Amino acid sequence: MSLEVIILAAGQGSRMKSRLPKVLHPVAGKPLLEHVVATAGSLNPVAIHVVVGHGAEKVKNALSDYTLHWTSQTQRLGTGHAVSQVLPELNPDSTVLILYGDVPMIAGKTLSKLIGSATSAPALLTAQVGDSSGYGRIIRDENGELVAVVEEKDADAAQRQITEINTGIMAAPAADLFELLPRVQNNNSQGEYYLPDILSLAVAEGKTVSTCEAESELEILGVNDRIQLQQIEREVQRLQVEQLMREGVTMADAARVDIRGSLTCAADVSIDINVLFEGEVRLGNNVTIGPNCVLSNVSVGNGVCINAMSHLEGAEIGDNCTIGPFARLRPGTVLREGARIGNFVETKKSDIGAGSKVNHLSYIGDCDMGANVNIGAGTITCNYDGANKFKTEIGDGVFVGSNSTLVAPLDVGNRGFIGAGSTITKTVAEDELAIGRARQRNIRGWQRSRKEHNKD
Ligand code: UD1
Ligand code: CA
């Protein structure tokens, strides 16, 4: 039977106190809703329908990379009403899975089990919780079969004691939704059309509603405020980092590494404290990362050492390179094998050849650098004339003396040598020495000024 997924995401999330729709707040670097969409996608449904209301345009834009069917719910009249909005889109033969845009960590495995239980009647994902306040309670008969879900606001004192709760997540044959949803009434304390009411209607028709439980509490946690958002974030981070340690990564402190995206590590990677990974990061064998580094969309070869306080973004690092401390590698930086970038060096859109060194206090932008080049301290590639960007081409074995400015567009041939303190504006051919600075003048017998005596 084919699967269709409905994700409810119309709520405002007023407790977030945010102008951003709740489902766009990130966990592990991705919007809550994107986690749900990705998990839904892993089940190979024929369609994913998302019910949006509050901030619909922002939500649609943020998820524009996915193929989704958008349904708008202009008035929030309850979860049953929200699902009803999608009925005209559903194929009557499919099984329908209902998810929540603000319950991000639900696992595909749990959902497969739930879908498998919903072949001839609805099936509900329930959970046993320590504190059931706020949730709909599961009411069972003497045989232990589910008979109804009662919302907290409609529950009596005895029902409120029940610790088995409705996670909200449900699977049902589309035919049951077509038949039962139009019969749901809103005569309850909130005046809403409650989706779980279809369960008691199904039971009244002689159907058996089966229930499944999630494998972990994290899976069913929803986000209503920023405290819960942070709790989920910490738990997700803990699980990610533990998984990496199991795979052989050394972490100085599991609680002080955050991964907002995906981190792939080869053997014997070692990560010090306060390191942040964003986007897609790949680390080769024997990579060591010092404290307080940020790596964003970076691929790093084997044997690379990234020292403390370095910030790397959109860079490709070859084997055995050394970076930092205090290095900033900006997008388009490529370091070839054994290159060294030292402290207070910024690189951008530059290819640094094998074994080349930029060890101190330099800016290298829009530069193509050969192998075994030595760039002295304080060297600047002047790549911008206020309107356009230009390239600096540096051959193999070039030596650039300290405090030089290389005014692009510029070519320095192989083994070119630039004297310290030069401003270089013209091509330097192979093996040439270029010096572009005023000659030193020494003045004999020069008198220093003296302090005048104060006359008054
Ligand atoms: C709902 C369940 C409750 C369950 C709880 C789990 C109902 C009536 N109650 O309660 O049994 O224990 O979830 O967290 O279903 N939404 C819409 N349109 C609407 C109403 C809601 O899209 O008209 C969306 C919300 O954005 C949210 C989700 O549905 O993502 C749940 O709605 P919410 O109002 O939070 O339901 P609860 O009262 O928490
Ligand atoms: Ca809720």
Side-chain angles (χ1 to χ4, degrees), residues 172-248:
D176 285 353
L177 297 181
F178 282 111
E179 194 205 327
L180 304 172
L181 265 178
R183 289 166 47 196
V184 169
Q185 304 291 308
N186 66 346
N187 50 354
N188 50 54
S189 65
Q190 302 187 82
E192 287 186 4
Y193 296 91
Y194 292 163
L195 175 65
D197 281 2
I198 66 165
L199 303 177
S200 40
L201 292 171
V203 170
E205 293 209 333
K207 295 195 174 202
T208 301
V209 173
S210 45
T211 59
C212 296
E213 290 204 12
E215 285 182 9
S216 74
E217 199 167 332
L218 175 66
E219 284 189 47
I220 59 147
L221 284 182
V223 174
N224 294 305
D225 59 32
R226 298 196 198 227
I227 295 171
Q228 291 168 331
L229 183 70
Q230 189 266 176
Q231 285 166 343
I232 293 181
E233 178 74 34
R234 292 326 316 154
E235 183 64 6
V236 170
Q237 292 300 341
R238 189 180 69 80
L239 292 172
Q240 290 182 156
V241 171
E242 279 182 8
Q243 179 59 25
L244 285 165
M245 291 191 291
R246 266 186 223 107
E247 288 167 11

Side-chain angles (χ1 to χ4, degrees), residues 8-11 73 76-79 82 100 102 135-136 151 166-167 194 196:
L8 303 189
Q73 185 195 23
R76 253 76 72 205
L77 302 180
T79 49
Y100 292 74
D102 56 3
Y135 288 107
E151 291 306 303
N166 170 26
T167 65
Y194 292 163

Side-chain angles (χ1 to χ4, degrees), residues 189-452:
S189 65
Q190 302 187 82
E192 287 186 4
Y193 296 91
Y194 292 163
L195 175 65
D197 281 2
I198 66 165
L199 303 177
S200 40
L201 292 171
V203 170
E205 293 209 333
K207 295 195 174 202
T208 301
V209 173
S210 45
T211 59
C212 296
E213 290 204 12
E215 285 182 9
S216 74
E217 199 167 332
L218 175 66
E219 284 189 47
I220 59 147
L221 284 182
V223 174
N224 294 305
D225 59 32
R226 298 196 198 227
I227 295 171
Q228 291 168 331
L229 183 70
Q230 189 266 176
Q231 285 166 343
I232 293 181
E233 178 74 34
R234 292 326 316 154
E235 183 64 6
V236 170
Q237 292 300 341
R238 189 180 69 80
L239 292 172
Q240 290 182 156
V241 171
E242 279 182 8
Q243 179 59 25
L244 285 165
M245 291 191 291
R246 266 186 223 107
E247 288 167 11
V249 178
T250 295
M251 301 279 183
D253 182 350
R256 283 187 284 172
V257 171
D258 273 30
I259 303 160
R260 300 181 192 152
S262 79
L263 171 61
T264 318
C265 297
D268 294 307
V269 166
S270 176
I271 299 169
D272 214 321
I273 56 168
N274 295 332
V275 177
L276 171 60
F277 298 94
E278 293 177 318
E280 203 174 309
V281 178
R282 294 171 174 281
L283 305 179
N285 295 315
N286 294 298
V287 169
T288 60
I289 301 180
N292 302 316
C293 291
V294 177
L295 280 77
S296 177
N297 295 305
V298 181
S299 88
V300 179
N302 300 321
V304 171
C305 181
I306 299 169
N307 292 303
M309 321 287 176
S310 295
H311 190 286
L312 286 65
E313 185 185 358
E316 199 186 304
I317 315 295
D319 293 344
N320 303 316
C321 290
T322 305
I323 296 160
F326 295 98
R328 178 165 186 221
L329 274 50
R330 289 172 52 204
T333 296
V334 177
L335 303 190
R336 307 287 168 181
E337 182 165 5
R340 300 174 77 94
I341 300 295
N343 44 217
F344 307 107
V345 172
E346 174 181 346
T347 63
K348 186 217 76 172
K349 262 199 194 162
S350 290
D351 191 319
I352 313 287
S356 289
K357 296 176 193 163
V358 189
N359 274 336
H360 334 266
L361 301 147
S362 290
Y363 171 63
I364 304 295
D366 301 303
C367 177
D368 216 336
M369 193 186 295
N372 301 313
V373 170
N374 194 319
I375 301 286
T379 297
I380 306 288
T381 53
C382 307
N383 58 334
Y384 185 52
D385 65 1
N388 296 298
K389 298 268 167 73
F390 300 96
K391 246 186 129 166
T392 302
E393 309 262 2
I394 298 176
D396 295 337
V398 167
F399 183 97
V400 178
S402 296
N403 201 32
S404 293
T405 49
L406 308 176
V407 181
L410 184 70
D411 254 315
V412 181
N414 294 335
R415 298 172 304 280
F417 197 105
I418 292 170
S422 292
T423 296
I424 301 296
T425 56
K426 290 187 302 212
T427 299
V428 179
E430 281 194 12
D431 297 303
E432 268 182 354
L433 163 67
I435 304 177
R437 64 178 184 233
R439 269 181 184 279
Q440 181 172 332
R441 236 167 18 118
N442 292 10
I443 299 170
R444 285 242 169 107
W446 174 76
Q447 300 280 325
R448 279 200 199 189
S449 325
R450 287 170 199 275
K451 239 187 190 160
E452 286 182 28

